[in-house]
Amino acid sequence: MSASVSSPLLKRIPPGLWTALAWFAAAVEPIVEYVVMPPRPTYSPNFPRDGLDSLGARALLALAFVLVLAGSAALRRSTTPAYALVIAGTVASTVAWRQDEIPPLQFLAVDVALCYIAAIRSRRSSLTAAAGALGVLTCYFMMRLLMGDDSGIAPEPFLALTVVIAWLIGNSVHQARAHTEELYARAAAEAVTAERLRIAREMHDTVAHSIGIIALQAGAAARVIETQPAKAREAMLTVEKAGRETLSGLRRMLGALRQADQNQEGTGHDHGLAQAPLQPAAGLADVERLAATTTAAGVRVEVCWQGRRRPLPADIDLAAFRIVQESVTNAVRHSGADSCLVRVEYRADELAVEVSDRGKGGGTTTDTGYGLIGMRERAALLRGDFTAGPRPGGGFLVAVRLPIPAMTEAEEKARAI
């Protein structure tokens, strides 16, 4: 459980704030230099001192500030309209100053907004946004040509290059994010498949054990059926009980595991997951041994049993132990806690298991990061409920409730005998 690490400052600042800062810095600087400050020998044809003397020019410049501020504030919620507002504010600013070109520093805000759009939106949307910026630059460039302005090198081609660069940067971020999400989804699917394969192998062991009991008891009944009918009847009831429990467990598991097998065959490869090691376990009967072993390793594990302890179906018993084992192991590895509480409660129609600690970790996961997925998969296959997360008072809590199937009349008689 690794503690959460704060993201860098550059990532914590909203993209709209970066856009507003870039635009406002470029827009305020000429006002301060050529209007507010005392006259100086230098003179700018782009920002004449009397450029804002008229009331209409001031109103238009104020409108430009409002448009860009609104666009920057709404950039994260409504990217396309907000982007259009930033471009409109930039154009309004040049009209207010009676300019025939967009200042490069002021156009940097448009590039920032475009980079953000390319990073979070589809390629079609981002290309449309880039085309809008290039269209505005083209209009300015054509206007200069029509007016015959040859006062200097036209900045529009260079600004168009910044648009292309901004789109490429944002698109690269978008592709990297999509690739990361794809890898995570694939790894999560493989973790689910690996857990299902482990469950299948454990079910195989359980079925083999049950078949062994059935064969042994059936043989015993055949030998004493004439001399000791009561013993034979008891053996056959044991056979019936073992058979019914095995069939019940198989019915609960088989559908999901068959689907996992079909998905595995469809991929054409198994990623080596079928070779994952499994430690033999007897179910919840091994919880005390697990607690003793973990305590000897340095982390005290307290086990609290509630309700009337009784035999459980093999699949439920083993799944509950695996969840406890996973939770305790991860609490030892990642929480930093010196103690852990395991609570197992036998209820009338379900089994409730909770594993809690008071460590400082941010979550209970395995080294590969998919321990919660495996535990959730085990609970889901048994129609159970699984929750995991930080506790209000500190630490981490894993809680699972597994429904216990109702026994048939024959099983109740067998249990009674």
Side-chain angles (χ1 to χ4, degrees):
M1 291 181 243
S2 57
S4 58
V5 181
S6 60
S7 58
L9 178 62
L10 294 178
K11 293 184 178 181
R12 294 204 302 267
I13 297 179
L17 182 57
W18 285 116
T19 302
L21 289 176
W23 195 93
F24 276 65
V28 170
E29 190 273 333
I31 299 176
V32 174
E33 183 175 358
Y34 297 107
V35 178
V36 178
M37 298 295 292
R40 290 185 296 177
T42 58
Y43 175 78
S44 172
N46 291 328
F47 301 100
R49 183 165 295 278
D50 59 349
L52 299 179
D53 286 349
S54 66
L55 183 61
R58 295 180 181 180
L60 193 57
L61 185 62
L63 176 62
F65 274 87
V66 172
L67 290 176
V68 174
L69 182 61
S72 300
L75 187 60
R76 178 167 287 178
R77 299 189 304 271
S78 304
T79 54
T80 301
Y83 178 72
L85 289 176
V86 173
I87 293 182
T90 304
V91 174
S93 174
T94 61
V95 175
W97 281 101
R98 300 195 299 274
Q99 296 171 309
D100 58 359
E101 64 183 42
I102 299 179
L105 290 180
Q106 202 164 11
F107 200 77
L108 180 62
V110 178
D111 292 337
V112 173
L114 175 61
C115 183
Y116 174 71
I117 292 176
I120 67 167
R121 298 292 298 274
S122 64
R123 179 171 295 182
R124 181 177 180 178
S125 299
S126 62
L127 285 175
T128 302
L134 293 176
V136 171
L137 293 175
T138 301
C139 291
Y140 273 91
F141 184 71
M142 296 301 297
M143 184 176 62
R144 288 168 60 90
L145 293 179
L146 293 175
M147 295 177 60
D149 186 0
D150 57 353
S151 58
I153 299 176
E156 287 79 15
F158 300 99
L159 294 179
L161 181 61
T162 64
V163 171
V164 174
I165 294 175
W167 183 87
L168 289 175
I169 293 174
N171 187 62
S172 298
V173 173
H174 180 82
Q175 290 180 334
R177 183 177 301 168
H179 182 64
T180 300
E181 292 176 355
E182 180 183 356
L183 290 179
Y184 179 82
R186 186 183 304 172
E190 290 179 357
V192 170
T193 302
E195 193 66 24
R196 289 184 174 186
L197 290 172
R198 291 189 181 95
I199 295 171
R201 292 198 299 276
E202 290 175 346
M203 180 57 67
H204 171 270
D205 295 340
T206 302
V207 171
H209 176 70
S210 299
I211 295 299
I213 293 178
I214 290 173
L216 183 63
Q217 294 293 333
R223 287 192 296 270
V224 300
I225 189 170
E226 295 181 356
T227 58
Q228 296 178 312
K231 292 289 186 181
R233 179 175 179 274
E234 181 179 350
M236 294 310 298
L237 287 175
T238 302
V239 169
E240 181 186 16
K241 171 189 170 184
R244 288 183 179 274
E245 289 184 348
T246 302
L247 288 175
S248 178
L250 286 174
R251 289 192 185 101
R252 286 191 294 268
M253 291 285 189
L254 194 55
L257 293 177
R258 182 183 291 117
Q259 182 64 38
D261 291 340
Q262 292 174 354
N263 295 338
Q264 194 68 37
E265 292 173 2
T267 59
H269 49 276
D270 60 4
H271 302 283
L273 295 175
Q275 308 304 323
L278 269 180
Q279 298 298 327
L284 289 176
D286 277 351
V287 168
E288 297 287 356
R289 179 177 58 83
L290 174 65
T293 303
T294 308
T295 301
V299 177
R300 182 172 58 85
V301 177
E302 180 182 354
V303 181
C304 178
W305 300 92
Q306 297 179 349
R308 182 178 63 85
R309 296 179 64 176
R310 59 188 186 274
L312 297 171
D315 51 349
I316 296 177
D317 195 21
L318 187 55
F321 173 77
R322 290 300 185 193
I323 292 174
V324 171
Q325 183 183 45
E326 180 78 18
S327 302
V328 171
T329 301
N330 291 319
V332 172
R333 290 179 178 176
H334 307 291
S335 71
D338 57 359
S339 63
C340 179
L341 174 62
V342 177
R343 187 174 69 87
V344 182
E345 181 179 358
Y346 288 80
R347 299 173 182 172
D349 56 352
E350 67 180 10
L351 177 72
V353 178
E354 291 185 358
V355 181
S356 59
D357 63 70
R358 293 194 175 276
K360 300 179 180 179
T364 301
T365 59
T366 61
D367 292 341
T368 57
Y370 300 99
L372 292 179
I373 296 177
M375 289 187 281
R376 183 175 287 108
E377 181 68 14
R378 284 184 178 270
L381 289 176
L382 295 173
R383 307 295 189 270
D385 294 328
F386 177 86
T387 57
R391 302 173 62 188
F396 202 82
L397 172 66
V398 174
V400 62
R401 292 188 296 112
L402 301 176
I404 300 176
M407 291 187 299
T408 63
E409 182 178 354
E411 289 173 342
E412 291 178 352
K413 290 181 179 180
R415 293 270 176 92
I417 294 177

